[in-house]
Amino acid sequence: MKIEVNGEVFSEPARPGQCLRSYLRDLGWFGVKNGCDAGDCGTCTVHVDGRPVHSCLYPAFRAAGHRVTTVEGLARAGDLHPVQRDFLSAQGFQCGFCTAGMITTVAALDPAQMRDLPRALKGNFCRCTGYRSIEDAVHGIVQVEQDPKGEPFGRNLAAPAGRQVVTGTARYTLDVPVDGLLHVKLLRSPHAHARITAIDTSAARAVPGVRTVLTHEDSPPRLYSTGRHEDPKGDPADTRLFDDVVRFAGQRVAAVVADTVAAAEEGCRRLAVTYDLLPSVFDPEEAMAPGAPLLHGDKGAEQYIAHAKRNIADQVHGDIGDVEAAFAQADVVCERTYVTQRVQHAHLETHASIAWLDESGCLTVRTSSQVPFLTRKALCTLLDLPTEKVRVVCGRVGGGFGAKQEMLTEDVVALAALRTGRPVKLEFTREEEFTATVTRHPVSVRVKVAARRDGTLTAVRLRVVSDTGAYGNHACTVSRSCNESIAVYRCANKKVEGYAVYTNHMPSGAFRGYGLSQTIFAVESAMDELARALGMDPIAFRERNVIRPGDAMVSFGTEPDDVEIGSYGLDQCLTLVDTALRRGNDVPAPPGEEWLVGQGTALAMMIT
């Protein structure tokens, strides 16, 4: 078997069933990425005889006798391909994980396809750039200064790693060759709530290539949170590395460590697990009711759980003034309930880690993480290792959006490396991302607001119920979302109650806004309803009621509030928004259709 890749001829045979993507990565062409393994995302796009293909769907043996070009091969003799130059000039990337596949696709487009980019690029996803800058790159629009001399502040400068991103030479977590690498696959629970009474590992250990199997019997006894914060007491310590009780379908049950991914997967299939099924609860209101199944009923305050006997991981309560009297005296009252759904982050680089021991016995974990230093601290505590014996390092991170503020792979590979003495890799599949990591918290928010006829806000009451899932990582988002969504408004009477509730759903976590996205949607929708009932313009209503310099930003939490307004531009911001909305964008509605045109305003604040 001979394949020409970027002008070089390779004769390495493909493994049975191997796709072209993994074959190319085995050869060291790391510009070819893995985002889905299903032909959906386009991060693995390469040219075969000049035609773009998703290499995760292309059998490697079919490339024999053909000419394959990866993003690294587009540049010739050190000169960038025109499309690479355009993406660099337009800064058509952010994390850059999708960029190699995007550039490879664009490099093969004909003029007709260039005029219909939504169709031409439908096989290439981007999760963080926003497609406008990609469209700019395709059309050669320059967004950065070409000769950036002098003072850098306020200038349009290119990202420092831009050239590596567009050439496919930027190194993400798994873009490193490692000798003697072992692979981990996780067996996951099919049940929402069950006790593991037995695990027979004998058949799994007999699979050729399997090195070891890790279960709850190998797990450190210490409880921790997968959510990482500077203060570990900020999240419930309710998680074990491997537990003998599973609390959601998809929870890890055991790890098989093997020479190949295939052997590890076969080992997982041969594990025999006996479960004693337990009652489950999936509605947060039902979970707080008397007699509901308890997820962590054996834990309590020492694990930083607010009320384990009611499935409440975290809660916040607070008030100022007399809310009920204010509602009774108000001219207009509006009460609504708003519900937000579960959302997955879908960063294109899945959770992945590699761990190994160096010559001095230091454990090194290379991982796709937003919090490497906090993960290092957690690993030291969990595995009882001194700080100087643990390193956690990151390559370039292919998106995170809050989901990588968790420790979901690092603990497994660290334990496996310590047990085997070999380098160990764990890479989640796209399916695992959707079923076994974290999501945005589903939240139900009941909002009641009141005002006088002149538009003065007189009372605000919130009841926020957040589904934190099976574990309380980032359950503390309740207090933030309850506070900051209403702290931006001047009002003498406020009351909040918030609950982060355990259910047998997969865990919720941090996600772009940290709970505020859900509550701000509810509060701002209610403010619009109140303005409408008053007959006021929504922006004018907000201008009348937002905090001013010197006003206190009232929060209801367990932490002391030391926030002061250091500068104030909110009035200017609202004026700019109002002016822009009135001006419009000079784009007429398409002819021949009945189009509805809508506009709206929402106000958000985040205290950092």
Side-chain angles (χ1 to χ4, degrees), residues 69 142 144 333 336 437-438 462-463 537:
T69 305
V142 176
V144 299
V333 178
R336 299 284 190 278
T437 57
V438 293
L462 291 186
R463 185 178 187 273
D537 175 79

Side-chain angles (χ1 to χ4, degrees), residues 111 126 173 193 200 227-228 312 314 325 348 353 356 384 404 497 502 529 535 557 590:
C126 177
T173 304
H193 201 190
D200 185 349
R228 304 283 9 106
I312 299 173
D314 192 29
L348 288 183
S353 296
W356 66 90
D384 197 22
K404 292 179 179 176
E497 57 176 322
Y502 287 121
E529 296 286 351

Side-chain angles (χ1 to χ4, degrees), residues 355-368:
W356 66 90
L357 297 168
D358 66 15
E359 310 80 41
S360 68
C362 179
L363 174 67
T364 301
V365 180
R366 180 180 172 90
T367 183
S368 182

Side-chain angles (χ1 to χ4, degrees), residues 171-176 178 349 352-358 362-377 379 387 389-398 404 406 409-410 413-414 424:
R171 291 293 173 251
Y172 294 80
T173 304
L174 302 182
D175 295 344
V176 290
V178 180
E349 180 194 37
S353 296
I354 303 173
W356 66 90
L357 297 168
D358 66 15
C362 179
L363 174 67
T364 301
V365 180
R366 180 180 172 90
T367 183
S368 182
S369 174
Q370 296 173 247
V371 284
F373 291 100
L374 299 182
T375 299
R376 178 197 191 202
K377 181 189 295 187
L379 289 174
T387 305
K389 286 295 184 181
V390 178
R391 294 180 68 235
V392 175
V393 297
C394 291
R396 193 171 176 88
V397 176
K404 292 179 179 176
E406 305 276 347
T409 58
E410 298 89 347
V413 294
V424 178

Side-chain angles (χ1 to χ4, degrees), residues 88 91 93-95 144 148 152 155-167 169-170 396:
L88 192 57
Q91 295 289 280
F93 56 87
Q94 189 166 323
C95 84
V144 299
R155 307 283 294 280
N156 289 329
L157 306 182
R163 188 178 182 91
Q164 292 95 312
V165 169
V166 301
T167 57
T169 57
R396 193 171 176 88

Side-chain angles (χ1 to χ4, degrees), residues 392-593:
V392 175
V393 297
C394 291
R396 193 171 176 88
V397 176
F401 321 131
K404 292 179 179 176
Q405 198 177 326
E406 305 276 347
M407 187 170 69
L408 300 178
T409 58
E410 298 89 347
D411 47 358
V412 176
V413 294
L415 180 63
L418 291 171
R419 291 296 178 91
T420 63
R422 296 267 301 276
V424 178
K425 166 187 164 184
L426 173 57
E427 178 183 14
F428 280 4
T429 64
R430 182 58 56 188
E431 180 180 349
E432 286 177 301
E433 290 292 328
F434 280 103
T435 60
T437 57
V438 293
T439 68
R440 173 169 278 164
H441 288 72
V443 175
S444 174
V445 186
R446 190 164 73 230
V447 189
K448 189 174 183 179
V449 289
R452 294 198 293 264
R453 294 195 188 281
D454 64 0
T456 302
L457 195 62
T458 58
V460 179
R461 187 173 70 196
L462 291 186
R463 185 178 187 273
V464 179
V465 178
S466 170
D467 185 346
T468 199
Y471 295 93
N473 44 305
H474 302 284
C476 60
T477 57
V478 165
S479 58
R480 294 198 62 171
S481 62
C482 287
N483 285 320
E484 294 169 51
S485 57
I486 61 172
V488 73
Y489 289 104
R490 285 182 293 122
C491 185
N493 307 286
K494 296 181 181 180
K495 183 175 183 178
V496 301
E497 57 176 322
Y499 305 94
V501 185
Y502 287 121
T503 68
N504 291 109
H505 287 127
M506 67 183 288
S508 302
F511 191 155
R512 280 189 164 176
Y514 236 140
L516 281 167
S517 306
Q518 299 93 306
T519 49
I520 286 172
F521 155 66
V523 169
E524 292 301 293
S525 297
M527 292 298 179
D528 276 353
E529 296 286 351
L530 186 57
R532 187 175 294 113
L534 290 163
M536 289 187 67
D537 175 79
I539 294 182
F541 175 76
R542 287 172 171 82
E543 286 176 330
R544 184 178 186 85
N545 290 291
V546 294
I547 55 172
R548 307 287 182 187
D551 291 339
M553 287 190 281
V554 179
S555 296
F556 306 107
T558 57
E559 300 294 327
D561 184 6
D562 61 353
V563 178
E564 296 180 0
I565 299 176
S567 62
Y568 190 79
L570 184 52
D571 51 355
Q572 300 171 53
C573 175
L574 287 169
T575 299
L576 286 169
V577 169
D578 190 29
T579 302
L581 286 173
R582 294 180 189 279
R583 182 177 65 245
N585 60 2
D586 298 323
V587 177
E593 298 283 352

